[in-house]
Amino acid sequence: MALTASPEAQRVLLDVQALDTTLQQLAHRERSLPERAVVDALVAEADVMREFVIQRRGELDDARLELGRVESDVVVVQSRIARDGERMQSSSSVKDIQGLEHELESLRGRLNDLEEIELAVMEKVEAIETELASATASLDEHQQKLAEAQAARDAALAVIASESEAARSQRAAIVATVPADLLALYEKQRERYGVGASHLRARISSASGVELTGSDLAAVRAAAPDAVLLCPDSNAILVRTDESGL
């Protein structure tokens, strides 16, 4: 048996469809929110900057360890120079003094090399510290920008959520007035074809944007007012009103 419903009940479906369209638009707005894209881009940039900072910290730790080792070697050599100097002062053996002088010459050469290495490593440490400080400051500034962007995104999402909740609440109140069998057909067609109800206005189906053919119009005109018809192009429930041009 063909489904029937009062013209009034069928017209209510247009309000339901309007709200479903609004909900679809809100969902699309949420997915394509510009603020979301801004946050995603800033997060990606922050990840790169954070990785750079981590790498520089690792390099600084390594450079400081290297400096510590060189400084330790300098202390050792300086101690040996001081010790050999004292031994020379107290020695009366020409042979021992000559041996100590040779060793001191070698130690002073080693100390000179170590001090040059120490200076180079100190400059390396200082350069990395400067670069790290700059990178850390940039990251902190970027994080602040990210926090602001996230706040803007969350505010925009909150607006969409509020509008969606209002639309869902309004929809729930309206569908409660629609006969169950008519609503079931609407939901079925909407799930299958994307649109559940189409307004026939001036002989054009709002769902398809196509004017009904002569034979389709004749079938619509011949149908009883409470007959539930489907749009031949969109398969949505075709709702007739005073604007249908029949």
Side-chain angles (χ1 to χ4, degrees):
M1 180 179 294
L3 181 63
T4 61
S6 69
E8 293 76 15
Q10 293 188 50
R11 282 194 289 272
V12 170
L13 291 179
L14 296 178
D15 295 330
V16 178
Q17 180 60 68
L19 288 168
D20 283 335
T21 299
T22 295
L23 287 168
Q24 289 175 339
Q25 292 169 341
L26 288 169
H28 179 266
R29 265 177 59 192
E30 181 180 356
R31 291 191 300 270
S32 58
L33 199 65
E35 291 86 347
R36 190 194 295 274
V38 170
V39 168
D40 290 344
L42 289 173
V43 166
E45 292 173 13
D47 289 342
V48 173
M49 296 173 72
R50 192 176 295 107
E51 181 62 27
F52 181 82
V53 168
I54 291 172
Q55 289 177 353
R56 289 300 174 271
R57 284 175 179 163
E59 291 174 4
L60 181 58
D61 289 342
D62 291 342
R64 284 173 173 168
L65 285 173
E66 182 183 2
L67 180 59
R69 287 192 296 267
V70 174
E71 289 175 338
S72 179
D73 290 344
V74 167
V75 170
V76 170
V77 173
Q78 287 175 336
S79 297
R80 290 180 62 185
I81 290 174
R83 183 196 63 189
D84 287 353
E86 291 175 356
R87 289 175 62 189
M88 279 186 61
Q89 294 296 325
S90 62
S91 178
S92 59
S93 170
V94 174
K95 184 178 179 180
D96 288 347
I97 291 174
Q98 286 177 342
L100 288 168
E101 286 178 342
H102 178 73
E103 184 175 347
L104 282 170
E105 183 180 354
S106 176
L107 288 170
R108 290 189 183 103
R110 173 61 176 160
L111 180 61
N112 184 64
D113 291 343
L114 286 171
E115 287 176 340
E116 288 182 0
I117 294 173
E118 181 182 28
L119 179 60
V121 177
M122 288 176 66
E123 290 174 349
K124 179 181 178 181
V125 168
E126 183 178 351
I128 297 175
E129 286 176 339
T130 300
E131 191 174 16
L132 177 58
S134 176
T136 301
S138 296
L139 178 58
D140 290 343
E141 182 180 346
H142 189 82
Q143 293 283 45
Q144 178 60 36
K145 187 185 299 184
L146 173 58
E148 293 171 357
Q150 289 172 328
R153 177 204 60 190
D154 292 345
L157 288 174
V159 170
I160 293 175
S162 177
E163 293 178 7
S164 298
E165 180 58 31
R168 282 191 291 268
S169 177
Q170 188 177 356
R171 185 187 192 277
I174 292 175
V175 298
T177 67
V178 179
D181 52 356
L182 179 62
L183 180 62
L185 177 62
Y186 168 85
E187 297 290 13
K188 176 182 176 182
Q189 299 307 100
R190 185 171 70 90
E191 183 177 352
R192 284 185 176 180
Y193 306 106
V195 181
S198 177
H199 187 188
L200 182 62
R201 181 186 291 119
R203 293 174 291 183
I204 296 175
S205 169
S206 63
S208 66
V210 175
E211 184 175 356
L212 268 62
T213 64
S215 59
D216 288 335
L217 280 172
V220 171
R221 290 189 181 106
D226 63 350
V228 177
L229 308 177
L230 297 181
C231 170
D233 294 301
S234 68
N235 286 302
I237 295 173
L238 192 65
V239 179
R240 294 159 286 168
T241 69
D242 293 339
E243 302 176 59
S244 295
L246 299 175

